[in-house]
């Protein structure tokens, strides 16, 4: 149980990553991914990478620079411009709905203007899901200068688009619906220099 714990990615740049095991029964027509990150990186870095054999950027949450989030579905992306963080924890949720192609990003409990992405697409179920690196091939092909350095916590993946109330609940660490990946019952494997530590503060 990772309650009140974090993954610390200690090195910069780094070859380290964390593999997440999710029980995906079928392809995804909708999803929401949430996580909390704490870093002083100003270079590009990957937060959440979900690759299939057919598509390395099937789902990707990527920060090319401090004031930008890039959200990929099926190899295509939209950019969300955000205020540069105050070197504090950032909570981000990204959701996508196949029927409308609507992509949502919520930062620290607030929604940004919605964008259109990959309407009618289906996200494959046989996936390699990694924290800390961006996959350029299934489970590998890393560019260490896109690696994450810092702390990650509260990682979730749902096969639905969370309602606004639930998006805010995720930011506030309140009770959440059952998830494909849930921080408090995460099945994971650390590869390289990543340490699990208690969270220093709320």
């Amino acid at each position: 149980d990772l309650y009140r714990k974090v993954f610390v990615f200690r090195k910069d740049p780094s070859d380290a990553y964390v593999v997440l095991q999710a029980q995906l029964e079928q392809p995804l027509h909708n999803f929401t991914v949430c996580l909390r990150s704490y870093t002083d990186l100003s270079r590009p870095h990957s937060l959440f990478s979900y690759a299939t054999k057919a598509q390395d950027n099937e789902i990707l949450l990527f920060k090319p620079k401090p004031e930008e989030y890039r959200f990929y579905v099926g190899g295509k992306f939209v950019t969300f411009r955000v205020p540069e963080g105050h070197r504090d924890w950032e909570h981000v949720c990204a959701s996508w709905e196949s029927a409308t192609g609507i992509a949502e990003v919520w930062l620290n409990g607030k929604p940004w203007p919605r964008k259109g992405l990959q309407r009618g697409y289906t996200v494959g179920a046989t996936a390699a899901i990694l924290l800390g690196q961006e996959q350029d091939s299934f489970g590998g092909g890393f560019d260490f200068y896109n690696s994450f350095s810092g702390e990650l916590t509260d990682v979730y993946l749902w096969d639905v688009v969370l309602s606004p109330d639930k998006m805010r609940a995720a930011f506030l660490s309140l009770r959440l619906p059952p998830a494909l990946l849930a921080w408090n019952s995460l099945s994971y494997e650390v590869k390289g220099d990543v340490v699990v530590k208690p969270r220093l503060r709320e």
Side-chain angles (χ1 to χ4, degrees):
D1 181 3
L2 290 170
Y3 178 66
R4 297 217 170 165
K5 294 199 168 80
V6 301
F7 290 132
V8 182
F9 294 76
R10 300 194 319 161
K11 283 167 60 189
D12 171 31
S14 170
D15 59 357
Y17 59 102
V18 178
V19 183
L20 305 182
Q21 276 99 26
Q23 301 308 313
L24 290 159
E25 312 288 313
Q26 57 213 24
L28 299 174
H29 299 285
N30 309 286
F31 68 82
T32 305
V33 57
C34 294
L35 56 83
R36 220 178 282 274
S37 68
Y38 189 29
T39 181
D40 57 7
L41 289 177
S42 53
R43 63 164 175 77
H45 57 277
S46 174
L47 293 164
F48 181 95
S49 172
Y50 175 120
T52 58
K53 295 218 158 91
Q55 176 53 255
D56 55 355
N57 293 335
E58 191 73 278
I59 302 172
L60 176 64
L61 257 183
F62 191 79
K63 278 201 93 171
K65 44 191 167 188
E67 64 280 6
E68 212 170 274
Y69 276 91
R70 211 176 263 181
F71 177 31
Y72 288 76
V73 176
K76 303 263 178 22
F77 70 87
V78 284
T79 298
F80 292 84
R81 286 175 185 80
V82 299
E84 191 169 335
H86 302 295
R87 298 282 183 255
D88 203 348
W89 283 98
E90 279 190 6
H91 184 265
V92 63
C93 288
S95 74
W96 172 80
E97 180 178 66
S98 176
T100 58
I102 290 286
E104 278 181 38
V105 160
W106 290 64
L107 185 65
N108 296 331
K110 296 189 178 118
W112 293 88
R114 287 172 277 198
K115 305 208 171 183
L117 182 63
Q118 291 285 56
R119 188 175 190 163
Y121 187 77
T122 302
V123 170
T126 308
I129 307 175
L130 306 188
L131 303 176
Q133 298 285 353
E134 189 222 333
Q135 303 175 73
D136 284 330
S137 58
F138 188 74
F142 307 140
D143 172 351
F144 298 149
Y145 289 94
N146 285 336
S147 62
F148 178 78
S149 162
E151 306 190 14
L152 285 180
T153 188
D154 292 347
V155 181
Y156 288 86
L157 174 66
W158 290 271
D159 58 358
V160 294
V161 171
L162 290 193
S163 68
D165 284 352
K166 293 287 187 282
M167 289 286 199
R168 286 187 280 270
F171 169 58
L172 297 168
S173 298
L174 303 176
R175 277 190 63 139
L176 293 166
L180 300 171
L181 287 171
W183 187 250
N184 290 349
S185 58
L186 204 62
S187 181
Y188 68 92
E189 192 179 350
V190 168
K191 303 281 192 180
D193 195 347
V194 182
V195 184
V196 176
K197 296 293 283 180
R199 198 184 294 190
L200 291 177
R201 61 187 179 82
E202 287 313 295

